[in-house]
Amino acid sequence: MTVRTRIAPSPTGEDLHIGNVYTALVNFVFARKNGGKFIVRIEDTDRSRLVKGSEKKILASLRWLGLDYDEGPDKKGPFSPYRQSERLPLYRKYVDRLVDTDKAYYCFCTEERLAEMRRVQVKKGKLPVYDKFCRQLEKNQAKQRAKGEKHVVRLKVPEKGRTSFNDLIRGEISFENRLLDDQVLLKSDGFPTYHLAVVVDDHLMKVSHVIRAEEWISSTPKHILLYRAFRWELPQFAHGPVLRNPDRSKLSKRKNPVWLSWYRKEGYFSEAILNYLALMGWSFPGGRDVFTLEEMITEFKLEDLKPVGPAFDLKKLEWLNGEYIRKSQNSKLKSRIMDFYQNELPEDIVEKSVPLIRERIKKLSDYLPLTEFLFKRPQNYELDLKSYRQLLADISAKLHGLASWQADKIGEAMVELARDKQLKNSEFFMVLRVAVSGKKISPPLNESLEILGKKEAVYRCQNF
Ligand code: GLU
């Protein structure tokens, strides 16, 4: 069997949801590990929730992450189109087949009737499920009516028995059929529901492993009933953990940033994001925290995925990203910073500053706040320098007189001056630091002065 996995994002948000990034990672790694294919299918059948531009961002984000897919809406593939809205005639054809074989039926119930039915059910403390009113209609009559009347098509869920499956992560999962709704398969607008479309497409696209988050478990029995109704072979199912807030609730916009675009804007590395997500339900053999995607592919086993992961912890991701920054070569880090700031910073200064800040930043957006004074004169000073006018005049004279403008030489001269002035190094350098950078905390001062150049350093000591 060829392993074929997929993600099936709906273009209903700002970008790829971080939970989808996690699902994509697991599907990608599992496919690569097994020499299989990883597919992206866009599930855009819920027309009311579509967000313009979302699909484009989702695909661009997958590429940015390096989770390159083998087949997808913008790639040729043997099972195109990979966008559900372009596959409508297919769903119609398959749903007709279900009606013909008595596995599904037309339903003409109006919104008003359904609302009233639900109201009564809820009032009686019952679960709101369809009361199967149209299930009893005579088949040929219903078929006639469907030609002119607004309708949906529903799945005829068996009234007895159980639907069970063996989840590759969770083991046997079983549902009582009588608790399952006669699910709508085709909506009155002619669009399929998620349930119909996902089964038809996973089958036609020869998906071997459906790997998705826990939240889809309750849909799986409906899907299995559909596979059986079509007499199709079942794929393997695996439901991984859902990303959670520290209070165990599902990761939500209120408590954590959920769109990948936020993480990009903050300057997280794609490698660090994937490495962090990998730890959400899996551990590297030996318990290592930092590993590459390639290493993960080598070691990964789907059975090792835990059904519940640790809470999503932004602080830990930040720490991990810092590790990636420290691991980067200076030249690579320079390019990343240049890219991140859209090549608007002078490259020579960025290059010189990288060794000074590489230990101090955790993400790329930390870079500019720390180094801004290298690019422009401070606008504010964290210390009132009025009473240090004379000292700063002496400093600037000493700097001016230096024969060689190198960090160590600058440092020696400044220590000498502090001694002459009988000032503690801490006070002396604080004054100089604030005059030059505006801030009490900055990257190493002597090196920063070297980068600024003599003229600018002297200027800042005189004009603050
Ligand atoms: N369209 C669903 C989603 O938005 C796909 C769920 C599945 O993987 O079956 O995630």
Side-chain angles (χ1 to χ4, degrees):
M1 177 188 61
T2 333
V3 166
R4 291 175 58 85
T5 65
R6 51 62 166 182
I7 54 161
S10 298
T12 51
E14 238 173 84
D15 189 7
L16 202 56
H17 189 284
I18 194 81
N20 284 148
V21 178
Y22 178 65
T23 305
L25 171 68
V26 174
N27 277 281
F28 174 86
V29 167
F30 183 74
R32 290 287 173 272
K33 167 98 199 182
N34 292 286
K37 299 269 188 258
F38 170 56
I39 303 158
V40 175
R41 181 178 67 235
I42 296 292
E43 301 210 324
D44 56 350
T45 56
D46 188 347
R47 307 307 283 175
S48 61
R49 291 178 57 225
L50 287 192
V51 170
K52 221 174 150 224
S54 179
E55 175 189 315
K56 231 179 158 163
K57 284 193 191 143
I58 288 172
L59 297 176
S61 288
L62 285 168
R63 281 192 295 270
W64 179 77
L65 288 162
L67 299 180
D68 211 5
Y69 40 96
D70 302 296
E71 297 164 29
D74 57 350
K75 288 197 172 172
K76 287 208 181 73
F79 304 106
S80 46
Y82 291 88
R83 201 177 281 120
Q84 288 187 328
S85 58
E86 292 167 12
R87 302 170 63 81
L88 299 184
L90 266 175
Y91 308 120
R92 183 86 238 184
K93 173 175 134 198
Y94 283 103
V95 93
D96 286 348
R97 194 193 280 183
L98 288 182
V99 175
D100 287 344
T101 54
D102 266 338
K103 307 288 186 195
Y105 58 93
Y106 297 107
C107 169
F108 304 93
C109 291
T110 60
E111 263 319 307
E112 295 72 43
R113 177 175 185 277
L114 294 174
E116 176 58 16
M117 173 199 82
R118 272 183 230 119
R119 198 187 60 77
V120 175
Q121 285 169 336
V122 171
K123 208 170 142 201
K124 287 189 186 153
K126 285 190 184 159
L127 228 55
V129 289
Y130 181 57
D131 61 4
K132 305 184 179 169
F133 184 78
C134 291
R135 189 163 163 155
Q136 351 292 337
L137 298 177
E138 202 277 318
K139 197 167 131 192
N140 288 324
Q141 272 178 7
K143 202 167 185 171
Q144 273 315 109
R145 269 178 78 182
K147 288 191 178 136
E149 210 174 310
K150 197 172 164 187
H151 65 276
V152 302
V153 177
R154 289 182 183 273
L155 178 66
K156 223 178 223 181
V157 173
E159 300 191 286
K160 294 203 195 79
R162 305 183 73 89
T163 300
S164 313
F165 64 100
N166 182 43
D167 189 293
L168 294 178
I169 297 168
R170 290 159 201 267
E172 158 115 354
I173 298 182
S174 181
F175 290 83
E176 267 194 75
N177 290 341
R178 71 181 171 84
L179 299 178
L180 302 176
D181 207 353
D182 274 3
Q183 195 66 55
V184 173
L185 301 175
L186 196 73
K187 296 181 274 187
S188 58
D189 62 1
F191 277 79
T193 57
Y194 157 67
H195 302 290
L196 175 68
V198 82
V199 168
V200 168
D201 287 345
D202 282 342
H203 171 75
L204 294 179
M205 295 179 179
K206 297 195 186 327
V207 170
S208 62
H209 292 75
V210 171
I211 309 170
R212 57 190 168 198
E214 185 186 350
E215 60 195 303
W216 301 100
I217 290 180
S218 60
S219 299
T220 306
K222 297 171 192 168
H223 300 173
I224 290 177
L225 289 172
L226 272 168
Y227 278 99
R228 293 204 183 124
F230 283 122
R231 299 174 168 277
W232 287 341
E233 201 187 321
L234 290 174
Q236 304 265 12
F237 289 99
H239 293 89
V242 125
L243 302 186
R244 294 191 184 277
N245 297 311
D247 65 4
R248 311 309 300 159
S249 58
K250 194 181 145 197
L251 201 70
S252 65
K253 278 177 249 176
R254 265 187 312 119
K255 302 205 171 113
N256 269 301
V258 296
W259 304 117
L260 185 66
S261 46
W262 183 88
Y263 295 86
R264 263 179 98 160
K265 265 190 231 126
E266 285 292 301
Y268 287 97
F269 286 15
S270 58
E271 302 93 305
I273 296 173
L274 294 180
N275 186 160
Y276 178 67
L277 289 175
L279 297 170
M280 288 288 93
W282 184 74
S283 11
F284 198 83
R288 228 165 81 192
D289 269 336
V290 186
F291 46 84
T292 63
L293 188 57
E294 286 309 316
E295 288 174 314
M296 181 179 182
I297 294 170
T298 309
E299 300 293 341
F300 187 77
K301 289 199 205 79
L302 193 56
E303 312 85 81
D304 291 344
L305 211 63
K306 289 175 213 68
V308 187
F312 188 86
D313 178 2
L314 212 48
K315 278 274 160 287
K316 174 141 190 203
L317 170 59
E318 209 175 73
W319 165 81
L320 195 61
N321 205 67
E323 292 292 299
Y324 272 83
I325 288 184
R326 279 186 285 285
K327 273 199 330 184
S328 308
Q329 287 173 346
N330 284 340
S331 58
K332 287 251 165 62
L333 186 52
K334 181 202 76 181
S335 311
R336 297 253 196 177
I337 295 172
M338 290 302 295
D339 276 355
F340 184 76
Y341 291 98
Q342 286 149 13
N343 292 311
E344 279 168 4
L345 299 174
E347 195 168 348
D348 54 330
I349 299 186
V350 174
E351 182 165 346
K352 288 182 202 152
S353 68
V354 161
L356 307 189
I357 51 81
R358 50 178 304 130
E359 301 285 331
R360 293 164 180 250
I361 63 171
K362 294 210 172 77
K363 44 195 180 351
L364 297 174
S365 61
D366 295 340
Y367 174 77
L368 199 53
L370 210 60
T371 56
E372 208 169 10
F373 73 98
L374 296 175
F375 305 101
K376 61 177 198 203
R377 293 174 179 151
Q379 307 295 311
N380 304 298
Y381 295 87
E382 289 181 356
L383 183 73
D384 188 356
L385 295 174
K386 270 205 265 353
S387 54
Y388 294 108
R389 226 168 253 288
Q390 187 52 51
L391 175 61
L392 282 162
D394 295 342
I395 292 176
S396 80
K398 184 106 182 174
L399 290 176
H400 184 74
L402 278 181
S404 135
W405 193 254
Q406 277 164 354
D408 53 343
K409 296 282 178 298
I410 298 170
E412 282 163 22
M414 290 299 100
V415 169
E416 198 180 281
L417 185 59
R419 204 187 315 119
D420 291 350
K421 294 264 168 197
Q422 296 185 331
L423 280 173
K424 272 207 226 120
N425 274 352
S426 55
E427 186 182 5
F428 179 91
F429 281 102
M430 173 68 78
V431 172
L432 178 55
R433 189 183 301 279
V434 173
V436 168
S437 72
K439 297 195 171 139
K440 289 188 187 167
I441 295 173
S442 77
L445 188 55
N446 301 330
E447 285 76 4
S448 301
L449 286 165
E450 183 183 317
I451 295 173
L452 278 175
K454 188 199 266 190
K455 210 167 139 208
E456 182 64 18
V458 167
Y459 178 93
R460 291 194 190 183
C461 291
Q462 289 168 348
N463 309 273
F464 45 82

